[in-house]
Structure formats: structure tokens, C-alpha cells
């Protein structure tokens, strides 16, 4: 089989072993990778075109490719992928927030031309992505592949950062789990004790503990502790020290510190929590991030989600909206394209909405709520595990779990909230079946950098697990 790889082994040495094994049975045509992070023995892959990630995000081709022969796309071809345009244009905020819309479209058309030409030239049977496509170039690559019927394999983390699953389409999720949900998880009964020890541990932590620390946020806090944060910021400042712009930037930073910021605006509109009132808990997703772009679709605009929920609320209910605790530390409280000046005032103006202090514990808010609503945040899964249904607007790893209402319209929200108001709750027995199924289609491994591994990490076992998962998926395509 002819394969194109996107960011496989971008930060993990053991993933090179995976590709070396794949090379024995398949042809690796094209490999987008991060030059300088993980050494790749390129002579082992004769004929493979290597494309540096940092060039790919700027649409700079590798030296082996002359894109001048690739033709610009016509109106009908562009229109065929129109559902992806809004996602792409918003995704550009991360790299080119200052670009006007016309220039963004020019860049989009250039990417369509390049990656369409690459797929014409190499004709891969399958493209393997290291995760959901959340960079501009790989979103375009994924969109073209889907339109042309080229098979895709994507990796994603699940309830633990070291439990990985894979699927062909991020709007569907793992096919086996999706089929189980469609059947109503009708298989034999599963108890908590029947689950693997690591699954039991996770479920008990999330469902029973009074104030458990969310797993992914614990990872964030570790990454942004003093030493890693200082190291990251020092690396970010180095180019500005070299070009002499550090002084100008220091003045700009001082000016920002002396003016009101995103955090200040939020504080202006917060109100105390009233647990005596029926409400839907709405924890905002951190942005910019894969969880909303592309996994949120149009609901990368979280104000739209809140407006839909407000229009669907039963009489007397409210919406308690809370900012993600990582949003301000990651951006130093600055206004961003995702948290623009006026963002929180727009939310506060929506009827029945109350912005609540970020200091209020997320599990306490979920426990007292009638339900949780989120684009794709893990707070939705935590709510389900604690006995409350969740309205999900995007495509998270748990979207096929029992207790999830997948919604995308006011009418869908009305129906979901009507059932919740009537007393519908997640079925614990079905939750255990879901977790057993999910664990069956998952394997041990990491998608992030090697330094985060525990001492017990078994490199040989993990790369072999990933390799066999890929081979099994290729056979099933």
C-alpha cells in the first residue's frame, strides 16, 4: 500500500520504529515531519519525500517538488470543499491573525493547489495523521482526501493521555464504538469490576472523588509549571533577542500590563453562583486548540453555541458559563482573536446567561447542574461519569458515550433538554459497556513528546502496539 504520513514521529523516537516496520510491507511516499526534533534515518526510506513541518505550515514545498506544474483550482472544485472554508479561515488566526480575509483566501487556494497536486502526483492509498488535522495545511490535505475518497487514519487520545485510539473520520470516531452506540450497547452486561484496572481507576477518580483534578488539566499545569514555562518563554524570546526587536516588544508588553485585559473584562461580568436555580453548566473550551478547530465545526464560535442553548432552555432555567482555567495563563490575559475585546460582554448579553467565577470548582458546577453543555471539552465526559447528561456540539473522543446528546441546532437542544428535564440520566451499565469497548479498541502509547513518559514506559511494547494498530486498520480499509 502507498502511504503518506503527517507528523508521525514528530516528537517520539519510538514512532520511527513504527514507520520502519511499515516500510517493510508498504511504500512510504511522502512524510511531513519536524526536522531536528527526532532523528530519522532517511537512507532507510529511499524514494520518500520529506517535507519539513515548518515549511508546510507556510506552504513552502520540499526541494523535490516543483509546484509550478500544479494547476489552480476552478470554481466547481473549490465549491466542492466549501464546507471546510470557515474552519480554515478561523484556523488562520493562530498564525496570521493580521491577515485580511482576501489574503487568507489566497493562501487557502494556494494550499488547495499544492496538496491537490501532491495527491495527483503520488496517488497514495492512505494518509496517516498523527492526530485530528488542526494545522492549515493538514486540514486542507484531509479535506481533499475525504472528497476524493482517499483512505485516512487518524490517532487520538482518550480518557488517558497514554491510551490511544484511531479512526478514519473525526466526525464519526472509532467505527467499532460508533456501531456499539447505534446498537444501544446491547451486548452482555459489564460491571465496574469487569473493566481493566486502569479503566476502573479512571472511572472511580472521575465519578466518585469530591474534587478530582481533571486529567488533561493536570497535564497542562505540569507543562506550565515554573521551569518548563520559563524554558518555553526563553526559547520564544531568542529570535527577538537576535533581531533586536526585544526592546520594542518589552515596551509593548509593559503597555499591555498597564491596560485592561481579557481577564479584567471577564471579572466585570461575573456573578456569584446560585446553586438553588436550575441551570445548564457551560464550560468554555480553551482556544485556539484542536478541540474546537476543527473538532467544533461551526461551534469554534462558542458564542453561537451559547445563543442556541439560551433559545432552547426550559422556562426558569439558566446557563452558567465558565472560562477555561488555562485560557489566561497561556495568553498572559491578553485579548486574542478567540477572546477579542467584547467577547465576554457578548456572552453576558445573551438571555439567561450568568458568567461565573473561574475559582468555582468545575465538578461542583457539574454536580449541581441539570446537564453540561460543551463543544468538546472533557467536562462533558466528567459530567456523564458523575451521572449527568451532556450536550455535545463537536466531535470529542467520548461523543459516542451513553448520556451524550449530540446537538447542532436549536431544535436538537430543545429535544435534549426536554428529555433531561423529564429525568433522563446516563445509564451506568451502558457506561461500563462503553468503556470496555473503548478500551478494546485503544492501545498504550503517546502522541506527545518523549520527556512526558513515566519511568515504567515500555518503548518496545508501545511502538509495537501502534504498528499493529495501523496494520489492522490498513487491512480493514
Amino acid at each position: 500500500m502507498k502511504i503518506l504520513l503527517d507528523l508521525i514521529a514528530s516528537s517520539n523516537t519510538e514512532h520511527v520504529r513504527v514507520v520502519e516496520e511499515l516500510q517493510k510491507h508498504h511504500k512510504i511516499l511522502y512524510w511531513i515531519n519536524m526536522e531536528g526534533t527526532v532523528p530519522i534515518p532517511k537512507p532507510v526510506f529511499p524514494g520518500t519525500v520529506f517535507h519539513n513541518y515548518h515549511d508546510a505550515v507556510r506552504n513552502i514545498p520540499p526541494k523535490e517538488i516543483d509546484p509550478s506544474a500544479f494547476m489552480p483550482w476552478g470554481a466547481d472544485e473549490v465549491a466542492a470543499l466549501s464546507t471546510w472554508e470557515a474552519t480554515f479561515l478561523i484556523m488562520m488566526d493562530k498564525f496570521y491573525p493580521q491577515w485580511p480575509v482576501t489574503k487568507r483566501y489566497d493562501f487557502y487556494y494556494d494550499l488547495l493547489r499544492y496538496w491537490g497536486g501532491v495527491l495527483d502526483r503520488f496517488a497514495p492509498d492512505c494518509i496517516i495523521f498523527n492526530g485530528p488535522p488542526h494545522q492549515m495545511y493538514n486540514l486542507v490535505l484531509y479535506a481533499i482526501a475525504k472528497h476524493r475518497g482517499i483512505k485516512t487514519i487518524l490517532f487520538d487520545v482518550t480518557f488517558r493521555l497514554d491510551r490511544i485510539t484511531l479512526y478514519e473520520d473525526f466526525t464519526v470516531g472509532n467505527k467499532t464504538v460508533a456501531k456499539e452506540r447505534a446498537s444501544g450497547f446491547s451486548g452482555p452486561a459489564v460491571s465496574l469490576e469487569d473493566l481493566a484496572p486502569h479503566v476502573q481507576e479512571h472511572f472511580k477518580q472521575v465519578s466518585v472523588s469530591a474534587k478530582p483534578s481533571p486529567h488533561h488539566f493536570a497535564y497542562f499545569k505540569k507543562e506550565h509549571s515554573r521551569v518548563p514555562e520559563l524554558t518555553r518563554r526563553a526559547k520564544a524570546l531568542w529570535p527577538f533577542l537576535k533581531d533586536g526587536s526585544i526592546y520594542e516588544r518589552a515596551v509593548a508588553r509593559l503597555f499591555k500590563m498597564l491596560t485592561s485585559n481579557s481577564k479584567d473584562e471577564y471579572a466585570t461580568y461575573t456573578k456569584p453562583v446560585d446553586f438553588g436555580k436550575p441551570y445548564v453548566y457551560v464550560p468554555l473550551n480553551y482556544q485556539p486548540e484542536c478541540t474546537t478547530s476543527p473538532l467544533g465545526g461551526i461551534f469554534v464560535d462558542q458564542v453561537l453555541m451559547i445563543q442556541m442553548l439560551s433559545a432552547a432552555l426550559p422556562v426558569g432555567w439558566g446557563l452558567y458559563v465558565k472560562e477555561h482555567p488555562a485560557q489566561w495563563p497561556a495568553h498572559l490575559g491578553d485579548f486574542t482573536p478567540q477572546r477579542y475585546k467584547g467577547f465576554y460582554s457578548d456572552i453576558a448579553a445573551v438571555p439567561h446567561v450568568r458568567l461565573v467565577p473561574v475559582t468555582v470548582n468545575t465538578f461542583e458546577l457539574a454536580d449541581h447542574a441539570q446537564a453540561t453543555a460543551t463543544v468538546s471539552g472533557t467536562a462533558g465526559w466528567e459530567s456523564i461519569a458523575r451521572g449527568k447528561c451532556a450536550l455535545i456540539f463537536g466531535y470529542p473522543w467520548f461523543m459516542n458515550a451513553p448520556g451524550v446528546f449530540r446537538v447542532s441546532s436549536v431544535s436538537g437542544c430543545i429535544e435534549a433538554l426536554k428529555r433531561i428535564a423529564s429525568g433522563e440520566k446516563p445509564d451506568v451499565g451502558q457506561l461500563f459497556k462503553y468503556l470496555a469497548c473503548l478500551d478494546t479498541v485503544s492501545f498504550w502509547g503517546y502522541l506527545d513528546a518523549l520527556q512526558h513518559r513515566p519511568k515504567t514506559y515500555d518503548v518496545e511494547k508501545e511502538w509495537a502496539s501502534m504498528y499493529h494498530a495501523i496494520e489492522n486498520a490498513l487491512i480493514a480499509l
Side-chain angles (χ1 to χ4, degrees):
M1 189 171 285
K2 298 180 295 182
I3 297 174
L4 188 154
L5 301 176
D6 178 50
L7 294 180
I8 304 298
S10 60
S11 59
N12 302 335
T13 304
E14 68 268 30
H15 291 179
V16 177
R17 294 287 302 276
V18 174
V19 183
E20 288 176 343
E21 287 299 308
L22 286 172
Q23 173 76 353
K24 295 177 181 179
H25 308 285
H26 310 279
K27 176 61 178 175
I28 309 301
L29 302 170
Y30 197 106
W31 190 349
I32 304 150
N33 69 304
M34 288 191 178
E35 294 283 350
T37 57
V38 172
I40 295 176
K42 293 184 179 180
V44 176
F45 305 99
T48 299
V49 172
F50 290 89
H51 194 169
N52 185 2
Y53 160 81
H54 298 290
D55 288 336
V57 296
R58 293 179 292 171
N59 200 28
I60 298 174
K63 63 181 184 299
E64 295 90 344
I65 304 294
D66 177 9
S68 63
F70 298 161
M71 293 294 103
W73 283 33
D76 291 342
E77 294 173 298
V78 172
L81 270 65
S82 60
T83 55
W84 297 95
E85 284 183 17
T87 300
F88 177 87
L89 294 176
I90 292 174
M91 193 176 283
M92 288 193 71
D93 281 337
K94 184 175 181 179
F95 288 93
Y96 304 109
Q98 74 282 7
W99 280 13
V101 174
T102 300
K103 188 169 184 178
R104 294 185 185 209
Y105 266 112
D106 287 341
F107 190 69
Y108 174 60
Y109 298 147
D110 284 344
L111 285 172
L112 289 175
R113 174 184 175 182
Y114 179 75
W115 290 107
V118 166
L119 294 182
D120 286 338
R121 174 172 169 178
F122 290 92
D125 300 306
C126 180
I127 305 174
I128 303 177
F129 295 85
N130 191 53
H134 57 288
Q135 306 294 343
M136 297 170 292
Y137 79 87
N138 61 14
L139 180 73
V140 168
L141 176 60
Y142 178 81
I144 298 173
K146 285 299 178 186
H147 177 66
R148 295 185 178 181
I150 300 171
K151 301 299 184 182
T152 56
I153 294 175
L154 301 85
F155 294 105
D156 202 3
V157 296
T158 58
F159 56 89
R160 290 172 53 123
L161 293 176
D162 57 357
R163 290 295 289 174
I164 309 301
T165 190
L166 50 78
Y167 42 77
E168 299 173 31
D169 186 329
F170 67 74
T171 67
V172 176
N174 184 277
K175 281 187 174 180
T176 300
V177 180
K179 287 179 181 178
E180 284 297 308
R181 177 184 169 97
S183 72
F185 297 97
S186 57
V190 175
S191 67
L192 179 63
E193 292 71 25
D194 293 329
L195 299 174
H198 61 274
V199 183
Q200 291 187 41
E201 178 188 11
H202 166 78
F203 188 79
K204 289 176 181 177
Q205 180 191 30
V206 174
S207 65
V208 179
S209 300
K211 293 183 178 181
S213 177
H215 183 72
H216 291 74
F217 187 55
Y219 171 78
F220 174 87
K221 288 193 292 185
K222 178 181 177 182
E223 280 297 282
H224 288 78
S225 59
R226 186 178 299 273
V227 174
E229 185 67 12
L230 287 174
T231 302
R232 181 166 30 253
R233 295 201 179 277
K235 289 180 178 179
L237 289 173
W238 178 244
F240 309 132
L241 284 167
K242 289 175 65 177
D243 65 18
S245 64
I246 187 66
Y247 304 106
E248 179 183 346
R249 291 176 176 273
V251 171
R253 168 50 53 192
L254 178 61
F255 177 77
K256 285 185 177 180
M257 292 172 64
L258 296 175
T259 57
S260 65
N261 58 21
S262 176
K263 187 175 181 181
D264 296 329
E265 181 180 293
Y266 186 86
T268 301
Y269 295 98
T270 56
K271 297 179 181 179
V273 173
D274 178 6
F275 287 125
K277 177 181 179 178
Y279 65 90
V280 175
Y281 173 40
V282 187
L284 296 178
N285 276 70
Y286 171 85
Q287 292 177 299
E289 188 52 86
C290 176
T291 53
T292 56
S293 181
L295 298 185
I298 67 168
F299 299 104
V300 64
D301 178 358
Q302 296 187 82
V303 176
L304 175 61
M305 171 185 69
I306 292 167
Q307 291 170 335
M308 280 190 180
L309 288 166
S310 174
L313 284 175
V315 176
W317 285 28
L319 296 176
Y320 285 6
V321 179
K322 179 187 171 185
E323 181 57 282
H324 194 287
Q327 187 68 39
W328 300 323
H331 300 280
L332 301 178
D334 290 346
F335 290 111
T336 67
Q338 297 77 32
R339 297 295 187 271
Y340 51 84
K341 197 167 187 176
F343 175 77
Y344 298 120
S345 63
D346 287 349
I347 291 177
V350 177
H352 317 300
V353 165
R354 178 181 301 210
L355 282 168
V356 301
V358 293
T359 53
V360 183
N361 183 270
T362 185
F363 293 98
E364 191 174 9
L365 285 164
D367 290 347
H368 286 88
Q370 307 302 307
T372 294
T374 176
V375 177
S376 60
T378 53
W381 165 246
E382 292 155 356
S383 178
I384 295 165
R386 297 172 78 87
K388 299 291 179 71
C389 291
L391 283 73
I392 302 300
F393 289 78
Y395 308 102
W397 61 265
F398 59 89
M399 62 183 171
N400 289 311
V404 165
F405 288 95
R406 298 182 65 182
V407 294
S408 59
S409 64
V410 173
S411 60
C413 292
I414 290 174
E415 176 61 26
L417 292 173
K418 181 179 178 181
R419 290 170 58 179
I420 291 168
S422 298
E424 185 164 337
K425 296 183 183 298
D427 183 283
V428 177
Q430 287 196 342
L431 270 177
F432 293 155
K433 291 181 183 179
Y434 164 75
L435 284 169
C437 179
L438 179 63
D439 196 49
T440 299
V441 298
S442 303
F443 58 91
W444 294 106
Y446 284 87
L447 299 180
D448 61 353
L450 187 61
Q451 61 263 31
H452 307 307
R453 309 301 192 266
K455 294 180 179 179
T456 56
Y457 184 67
D458 187 335
V459 174
E460 291 295 317
K461 179 180 178 181
E462 310 319 332
W463 78 254
S465 295
M466 175 175 277
Y467 165 69
H468 289 300
I470 293 173
E471 285 290 9
N472 290 335
L474 291 172
I475 291 172
L477 290 177

